[in-house]
């Protein structure tokens, strides 16, 4: 349980994890504070991670001394999370753990310890339930494979 200052912090990596974090936080019975970051690793309309991560929205509060749970939508090459782990690790959190809804291990380029995975999926580009293509399809209630002819 939390004292006056809650030590547990759920960090949603926007925009893809928007719906997942909304469902997940309501399933956590103890007190937890939520912060939001927005990062971008894909170019506009692209389905390949560029490996260059840009922080579009930084943390609002401190994570020093806190147990941080990074909430991701999907881990593909792992480059985005690898960058984030380095960035957040430099801010003296007590611990950092990772939960991802989806995991595509086939395309991993860096070694990452993922603490909780919802589903392992094959190397297909998926949309819906927060996941986009070119900022579209996030509001679809289900997760679906995007037809390659729509982006090839
Ligand atoms: P990574 O850096 O691990 O290659 O990519 C992580 C980010 O790429 C995810 O947070 C997500 O925004 C995006 N991404 C990776 N695979 C997919 C996918 O199949 N569908 C969508 N919509 N985004 C993906």
């Amino acid at each position: 349980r939390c004292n006056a200052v809650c030590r547990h912090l759920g960090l949603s990596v926007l925009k893809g994890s928007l719906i997942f974090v909304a469902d997940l936080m309501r399933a956590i019975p103890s007190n937890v504070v939520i912060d939001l970051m927005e990062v971008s690793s894909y170019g506009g309309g692209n389905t390949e991670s560029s490996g260059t991560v840009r922080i579009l929205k930084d943390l609002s509060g401190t994570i020093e001394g806190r147990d941080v749970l990074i909430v991701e939508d999907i881990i593909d090459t792992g480059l985005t999370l690898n960058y984030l782990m380095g960035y957040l690790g430099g801010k003296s959190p007590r611990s950092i753990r990772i939960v991802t809804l989806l995991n595509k291990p086939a395309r991993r380029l860096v070694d990452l310890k993922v603490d909780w995975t919802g589903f392992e999926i094959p190397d297909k580009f998926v949309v819906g339930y927060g996941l986009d293509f070119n900022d579209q399809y996030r509001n679809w209630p289900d997760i679906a494979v995007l037809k390659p002819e729509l982006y090839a």
Side-chain angles (χ1 to χ4, degrees):
R1 287 203 73 80
C2 297
N3 300 321
V5 176
C6 186
R7 220 178 54 206
H8 303 114
L9 182 127
L11 177 59
S12 168
V13 186
L14 294 172
K15 298 173 188 161
S17 73
L18 181 71
I19 299 180
F20 180 42
V21 78
D23 283 343
L24 184 70
M25 65 194 276
R26 283 178 289 181
I28 296 176
S30 56
N31 286 344
V32 59
V33 294
I34 300 291
D35 205 343
L36 312 169
M37 277 185 81
E38 185 176 357
V39 300
S40 148
S41 58
Y42 281 24
N46 206 341
T47 59
E48 297 284 321
S49 187
S50 63
T52 312
V53 180
R54 283 187 305 146
I55 296 182
L56 304 177
K57 189 220 164 280
D58 208 341
L59 295 163
S60 302
T62 180
I63 60 166
E64 193 180 333
R66 285 185 151 154
D67 292 309
V68 177
L69 177 65
I70 301 179
V71 183
E72 263 288 9
D73 51 349
I74 187 164
I75 306 175
D76 187 15
T77 62
L79 293 170
T80 307
L81 254 186
N82 198 44
Y83 173 86
L84 260 187
M85 291 291 281
Y87 178 76
L88 297 171
K91 296 183 176 291
S92 310
R94 186 167 179 265
S95 66
I96 304 182
R97 288 202 275 180
I98 300 171
V99 58
T100 186
L101 176 64
L102 303 173
N103 193 6
K104 284 201 271 193
R107 292 187 10 114
R108 195 61 41 82
L109 292 179
V110 287
D111 204 20
L112 278 176
K113 182 179 170 285
V114 182
D115 298 280
W116 295 279
T117 298
F119 303 95
E120 281 203 354
I121 63 165
D123 183 15
K124 308 265 188 206
F125 194 82
V126 293
V127 294
Y129 192 77
L131 290 137
D132 76 309
F133 171 64
N134 219 0
D135 257 332
Q136 293 183 75
Y137 312 116
R138 289 193 200 279
N139 58 318
W140 281 14
D142 301 319
I143 297 171
V145 175
L146 190 67
K147 283 184 187 159
E149 54 263 43
L150 289 175
Y151 58 83

